[in-house]
Every structure is written in structure tokens, then in C-alpha cells.
Amino acid sequence: MTLTVKSVARVSLVSTLVLAAAGAAVLAASPASGAASTLAAAAQQSGRYFGTAVAANKLGDSTYTGILNREFDMVTAENEMKMDATEPNQGQFSYGNADRIVNQARNQGKRVRGHALAWHSQQPGWMQNMSGTALRNAMLNHVTQVATYYRGKIYAWDVVNEAFADGSSGGRRDSNLQRTGNDWIEAAFRAARAADPGAKLCYNDYNTDNWSHAKTQGVYRMVQDFKSRGVPIDCVGFQAHFNSGNPVPSNYHTTLQNFAALGVDVQITELDIEGSGSTQAQQYQGVTQACLAVARCTGITVWGIRDTDSWRASGTPLLFDGSGNKKAAYTSVLNALNAGTGTTTPPTSTTTTTSNPGGGGCTATYSEGEKWSDRFNGQVTVSGTDNWIVTVTVSSPQRIIATWNTSASWDSANVMTARPNGSGNTFGFTIMHGGNWNWPTVSCRVA
Ligand code: G3I
């Protein structure tokens, strides 16, 4: 009889695990019911945008434009607004390809980020060998002409792109523009403000994601200085090109928050993360949550649509595969956006141990399990006895919605008491987090 009961319990346990696994698969493949089903709609729920870089020569590709029109509400020209594209000969401006992108976006009700007015790279040949006052004036004329041409059509301009040096100096990058004088950046911002007073004016750079990096600190000091002296800067763009050598930093939220505290908006402007599968999906989730957790993070732009559209296609760094199918990374971003503001980056460590405070002969060890936008799994392993009683306490608004490998009861909404059910000394549970990613506390005693 006892055997029969045990075998029924085991069958039921197996069913529960299969169902839990199936549920996880469903969660990973589609948004929760009632949630927004596109990136733009999901971002709009918290007043944010979700954008992409667009290449003019792909606008005839119906798979490409289909995804563009459906998923994104902000557009950046990947190359077509750069200095070499818009002023190929000095004083002769060329807006054909940029206009195709701007018009396509605006006809579809999307906004446009302008990229980029002044940059040491992608300069037209005539500018590359200029210096001194002639170069300064040519740069300022370029800023004025292009920003004036697009006045009223641009949500935010990357006024200056990538002006800081990599490495440990925290100083400016050497370039022909820098050699015209350290004030070239503020001069560019003033010219842009005069030309299009309605556009937000951003400084944009890469490798500025990690708060402890010298380059991040250098840009921070410049923005702080600009704000203190009334230089017209409204936003800082974080390009966010990540790979295994340059991973998403665990302090990303700190970086975004500290810049925002200077009184500027922050935007993730060129996001791509090399990799695949759940690792890539989790990193995308972390970046999305870092933005959502900062009130002045106004939106996220990914640097291309399909992996094959990427400037580094071999790293498969985007949200759609080469056929236009949604990747796991897409779903993790969508779910994170649907979970909304107030979420924080999940903890990164994997285990913690809480011994019985009374020293009663057993130890309960908590380990992190899978994480989704709205819930996470945990498990507890008990050592020291097979006859245990473990208390698991979660903090509001968390609630435990499922358990396995244990017989559990609840003393209150937050406190669960778990006992062995014949399945060994490791049991698990699922917590709806409600925006609170804190681990539960666990303690055990011998029954
Ligand atoms: O269109 C020409 C083509 O006609 C020619 O045959 C071919 C070979 O020379 O070049 C093509 O142009 C290339 C262009 O991308 C379009 O594909 C350029 O050589 C190439 O330099 C250019 O690269 C762009 C790069 O910026 C340099 O401007 C990438 O597409 C673009 O994704 C990348 O974007 C930058 C951001 O602007 C700033 N932050 C970093 C980011 C990634 O590098």
C-alpha cells in the first residue's frame, strides 16, 4: 500500500516536471496573454521606444520591411546620414538615401534618430586632410546644414560620435577634429541646437557601458562639465556592442543611472550582442531591464534587424535570424518590456547557504534556477538529515506558485514549510517575482 502511494506520488511528480518544462518552453516562445506582441508596443507601455538601424538598400526587401514596420517605432540610418554620405563634396549635400529612410519611417508613424553629425570616422575624402580653422568651420557648417535640412523631423541627433579614447586614459581620442581644439564638441552641440532647437542632442559612444572603465568616467566628466556650463546636451547614447570579449557589465544599471542623474536622457543606441540561444537571450534581457530600471532611459535601438543584416553578421548578434524568424533573444526582450518598469537586473551569483540558526543538525542551500520576465525557479538542497523541515520565506510582492519534490504547506502568503515527500533531499519551486528579484531566505531544522 505504501509502495502504491509512493509510486502514485512519483508519477504525479514526473507529470509536474514535464508540465513545468512544457510551461517553460511556452514562456520562452510567446508572450504572456494580454501582453503586447511587438517590441514597439511593449516598449510604449512604459513610454519608451524600440528602434533599429535601417539600411536604405534593404528597403526593397519585403521580409526586412515587414519586420521593420511591425516591430519598431524608431529608426536610425545605419550609414546614410554620416558625413561622407550627406556631404560627399564640400558644400554639396546629398540626402537621397537618408531621405528614403526618413520618409519610410515617418510614413509609417515612426520617429528618427539622426546619426551622426560629427565623427572622426566616415569623413568624406575632402575633409580627412583638413585641419585648423578650415576644418572647424567645415565641421560646423556640416552640422548646421544637415540639422537644418532635417529640422523638425529628428527626435534625437548623435551630434558627436566616438570622441573619447579607448584604454585607461579617460581622455579624448586623437583626431583631426580634436586637433582643432578641445572645444570642438561643445561648438558642434551649439551649432546643432541653433539649427534644430526641437531635437534632443546626444553624445554617442561605445565601450562606455561599464561604470568602472576610464572611458565611461571621461564621458561622464564631460557631460557633467557641459551641464554645469550650460552647453546644450540632452542625452547620452550608449552604443552597446557586446561580445564575449566585451560582455554586458553587471553594473550597467549603475552606469545608466549615474548619467541620468546628471540631468540627461540616456538611450541604448546600437545594441547587438554576439552569441546565441539562452546565453544571448539572458544578456539581452539584462540590457533591457537595465534601461527599464532607469526612468530617463527613453529607449533602445538594436543595430540591425536580422543577423544577416548586421555589420558583424558572423556573430549572429541580433533579434531575428537570417530568415526573419524571432530568436530566443527576441522573446526575452519582449517579455522584459512587457514586465515593465521597476525591474532590476537579476542576481548574478548562483548559490547561497542558510544554516539552521538553532544549529539543529541540517543545512539548506539555495540555488538559482531558470529566470523568465515574470518568474524564476529556485531549488533547495538539504544536508545533514533526511528528516527535515525547511522554511522558505519570500518577500512581497513575490509568491510561490509551484513546488516539486516536496510536500509543502503555507503558514502565510510569504512563508512556505517544506518536508520530504520521498523524492530525496533537493526540492524546487517557482516564484512570481512581481519585479522583486531577491532570493528567498531558507532555513532548516530536523523534524
Ligand atoms: O556600400 C558600399 C559598397 O558599395 C562597397 O562595395 C562596399 C565595399 O567597400 O562598401 C560598402 O559600404 C560599406 C557600408 O558599411 C555599407 O555596407 C562601408 O565600406 C563600410 O565601412 C560601412 O560600415 C559601416 C561602419 O559603421 C562604418 O561607417 C557599418 O555598415 C555600420 O554598421 C557601422 O556602424 C557603426 C556606427 O555608425 C557607429 N558605432 C559603431 C557601428 C559599428 O561599427
Side-chain angles (χ1 to χ4, degrees):
M1 188 64 186
T2 306
L3 274 175
T4 308
V5 169
K6 275 193 174 175
S7 65
V8 167
R10 283 181 189 280
V11 168
S12 148
L13 166 69
V14 169
S15 316
T16 307
L17 285 174
V18 170
L19 282 173
V26 169
L27 272 171
S30 62
S33 65
S37 60
T38 68
L39 298 168
Q44 285 164 14
Q45 294 172 122
S46 66
R48 294 177 171 85
Y49 64 81
F50 206 96
T52 184
V54 168
N57 63 6
K58 291 184 178 144
L59 289 175
D61 175 337
S62 60
T63 303
Y64 183 85
T65 49
I67 300 171
L68 168 62
N69 292 344
R70 186 184 75 224
E71 296 286 344
F72 301 98
D73 60 356
M74 184 71 76
V75 160
T76 306
E78 185 175 1
N79 289 299
E80 294 77 353
M81 286 188 177
K82 293 174 180 175
M83 300 176 97
D84 58 350
T86 50
E87 195 178 357
N89 301 300
Q90 187 168 16
Q92 286 184 357
F93 291 84
S94 169
Y95 296 112
N97 284 331
D99 281 349
R100 289 176 63 204
I101 292 173
V102 171
N103 293 337
Q104 203 275 351
R106 287 167 58 81
N107 288 341
Q108 292 284 326
K110 306 178 196 308
R111 292 182 291 173
V112 177
R113 290 192 84 263
H115 173 81
L117 292 172
W119 189 15
H120 71 275
S121 181
Q122 298 301 115
Q123 292 181 1
W126 60 265
M127 185 182 273
Q128 290 173 19
N129 295 319
M130 290 179 79
S131 61
T133 304
L135 174 60
R136 173 68 69 94
N137 289 340
M139 180 274 289
L140 291 175
N141 183 55
H142 181 88
V143 170
T144 299
Q145 295 296 326
V146 177
T148 299
Y149 180 82
Y150 283 112
R151 176 165 34 206
K153 295 182 175 176
I154 303 296
Y155 162 71
W157 267 113
D158 292 332
V159 178
V160 170
N161 196 37
E162 302 177 1
F164 276 72
D166 294 312
S168 59
S169 78
R172 297 285 181 87
R173 172 196 298 276
D174 180 48
S175 72
N176 59 350
L177 291 168
Q178 181 62 29
R179 289 191 292 272
T180 69
N182 208 47
D183 62 344
W184 76 274
I185 297 181
E186 59 195 87
F189 273 82
R190 290 198 167 96
R193 178 69 97 222
D196 187 355
K200 289 181 182 289
L201 305 182
C202 300
Y203 176 77
N204 191 54
D205 214 330
Y206 66 91
N207 281 353
T208 48
D209 311 287
N210 190 321
W211 178 242
S212 62
H213 282 181
K215 187 170 176 181
T216 310
Q217 294 295 313
V219 175
Y220 179 84
R221 283 192 297 272
M222 179 188 75
V223 176
Q224 190 175 42
D225 171 52
F226 280 11
K227 293 300 287 183
S228 73
R229 291 191 294 111
V231 177
I233 185 169
D234 306 305
C235 38
V236 176
F238 297 82
Q239 293 186 8
H241 295 294
F242 296 114
N243 58 22
S244 56
N246 177 36
V248 180
S250 59
N251 60 20
Y252 205 16
H253 166 248
T254 302
T255 304
L256 298 179
Q257 185 61 57
N258 286 347
F259 274 88
L262 292 175
V264 289
D265 290 345
V266 293
Q267 300 164 1
I268 294 171
T269 53
E270 303 181 15
L271 177 61
D272 53 17
I273 306 175
E274 291 187 331
S276 62
S278 60
T279 305
Q280 183 184 50
Q282 282 203 347
Q283 291 178 311
Y284 263 104
Q285 179 189 27
V287 173
T288 306
Q289 290 175 333
C291 178
L292 290 170
V294 176
R296 291 198 72 156
C297 183
T298 58
I300 298 173
T301 294
V302 288
W303 204 240
I305 296 180
R306 301 161 299 195
D307 283 335
T308 44
D309 300 318
S310 170
W311 66 295
R312 45 183 188 172
S314 63
T316 61
L318 294 173
L319 301 179
F320 295 86
D321 70 19
S323 303
N325 299 310
K326 297 168 181 174
K327 295 166 58 180
Y330 171 93
T331 306
S332 72
V333 171
L334 184 67
N335 286 343
L337 292 170
N338 275 321
T341 55
T343 52
T344 53
T345 307
T348 50
S349 316
T350 51
T351 60
T352 188
T353 301
T354 306
S355 298
N356 174 14
C362 61
T363 299
T365 302
Y366 175 79
S367 323
E368 251 187 351
E370 286 178 284
K371 297 194 267 280
W372 297 277
S373 61
D374 61 344
R375 67 194 72 185
F376 60 88
N377 285 351
Q379 66 176 25
V380 170
T381 299
V382 182
S383 60
T385 180
D386 294 333
N387 198 16
W388 39 267
I389 299 175
V390 170
T391 302
V392 179
T393 306
V394 301
S395 48
S396 178
Q398 294 173 337
R399 58 197 171 85
I400 297 175
I401 60 157
T403 64
W404 52 93
N405 291 5
T406 182
S407 168
S409 61
W410 279 262
D411 302 329
S412 72
N414 292 345
V415 182
M416 177 181 81
T417 302
R419 294 182 168 82
N421 74 346
S423 305
N425 291 334
T426 295
F427 65 95
F429 42 88
T430 299
I431 298 174
M432 298 299 293
H433 60 66
N436 175 1
W437 289 92
N438 289 334
W439 289 342
T441 56
V442 298
S443 62
C444 78
R445 58 192 162 89
V446 179

